[in-house]
Amino acid sequence: MSQVEKIFGIHAVESVLTRTPEKIVQLFLQKSRQDKKLQNIESLAAGAGLKFQNVDKRKMDDWVKGNHQGVIAEVKVQDASLNENQLLDLVESEKDVLILVLDGVTDPHNLGACLRTADAAGVAALVVPKDRSASLTAVARKVACGAAEQVPVVKVTNLARFLARLKERDVWIIGTAGEAKSDIYETKFSGSTALVMGAEGSGMRRLTRENCDQLIKIPMAGSVSSLNVSVATGVCLFEIVRQKIARQ
């Protein structure tokens, strides 16, 4: 079922205009702003046969919470849909499935960034607990740049139990933790894999950690003790992708 939502920001609106312009219901551009970025938006809209309205910045500020960069679009969105059982069926029917699990990530910016990276890495689904997790807000969609319509976000009632069900289906559960003995570059990835990323600071919850088959870390050379969760997710996912390509 589709619904109409406001998305905003240069990159987010450009992505829709480039990939699925037919989903745009209305396009609004800031009246007082004229630069190359907005001119490119106008050009893409014209190429798609879309008209736009010039609106005062104050009115646009009232419409959305966040930096709209002078561009707001009302878009028909239909998120990629998958529930717990459907994801389990997918795992049973396909080989080499890659799943991303976020445990306790509550910042919508991080959720959006992880979704965008997951889409680029060919992730089948992003799994989050129903509680203590960010939702697909307008901010998350802006950062995701259209990935929410490509990668299903599966909300599970009990994350530890769901991980156990994945293990029963021969999915290797790999959790990330700073104190892990093995680093990601020493780890061989093969077959269906679920990568579990914890929240910054607190990391994975105890029950989540106990359901992991293996814990790994990203080697850190500098004085910073940890990476932003979306950056760490990108590092880990693309090491898995690199090994997958090498096997082929």
Side-chain angles (χ1 to χ4, degrees), residues 1-29:
M1 181 178 178
S2 63
Q3 56 187 357
V4 175
E5 292 190 6
K6 285 185 173 69
I7 65 167
F8 56 91
I10 297 291
H11 293 303
V13 175
E14 270 185 354
S15 177
V16 178
L17 280 169
T18 303
R19 297 165 69 174
T20 53
E22 69 279 1
K23 293 184 178 181
I24 294 181
V25 179
Q26 292 189 86
L27 179 62
F28 305 96
L29 303 183

Side-chain angles (χ1 to χ4, degrees), residues 128-139:
V128 296
K130 284 187 176 178
D131 299 322
R132 294 183 68 247
S133 176
S135 298
L136 276 174
T137 62
V139 171

Side-chain angles (χ1 to χ4, degrees), residues 5-69:
E5 292 190 6
K6 285 185 173 69
I7 65 167
F8 56 91
I10 297 291
H11 293 303
V13 175
E14 270 185 354
S15 177
V16 178
L17 280 169
T18 303
R19 297 165 69 174
T20 53
E22 69 279 1
K23 293 184 178 181
I24 294 181
V25 179
Q26 292 189 86
L27 179 62
F28 305 96
L29 303 183
Q30 187 175 312
K31 186 181 293 184
S32 59
R33 179 172 172 175
Q34 284 295 326
D35 54 47
K36 289 184 178 180
K37 290 182 178 180
L38 247 65
Q39 287 171 4
N40 185 52
I41 294 286
E42 292 180 14
S43 177
L44 288 171
L50 291 169
K51 295 182 179 180
F52 60 87
Q53 297 181 41
N54 289 121
V55 182
D56 289 331
K57 181 178 182 298
R58 286 185 180 180
K59 184 177 289 188
M60 297 178 79
D61 291 342
D62 290 338
W63 285 348
V64 297
K65 292 182 179 179
N67 183 12
H68 54 70
Q69 299 175 302

Side-chain angles (χ1 to χ4, degrees), residues 201-212:
S202 58
M204 294 179 292
R205 290 174 293 179
R206 179 181 59 82
L207 288 176
T208 303
R209 182 188 297 259
E210 289 176 359
N211 276 280
C212 291

Side-chain angles (χ1 to χ4, degrees), residues 1-5 7 75-79 141 149:
M1 181 178 178
S2 63
Q3 56 187 357
V4 175
E5 292 190 6
I7 65 167
V75 179
K76 290 182 287 185
V77 296
Q78 186 167 12
D79 296 335
R141 293 183 189 281
E149 295 181 60

Side-chain angles (χ1 to χ4, degrees), residues 232-246:
T233 296
V235 171
C236 294
L237 284 179
F238 277 94
E239 174 57 19
I240 296 172
V241 170
R242 185 194 68 79
Q243 291 192 26
K244 182 176 180 179
I245 293 171

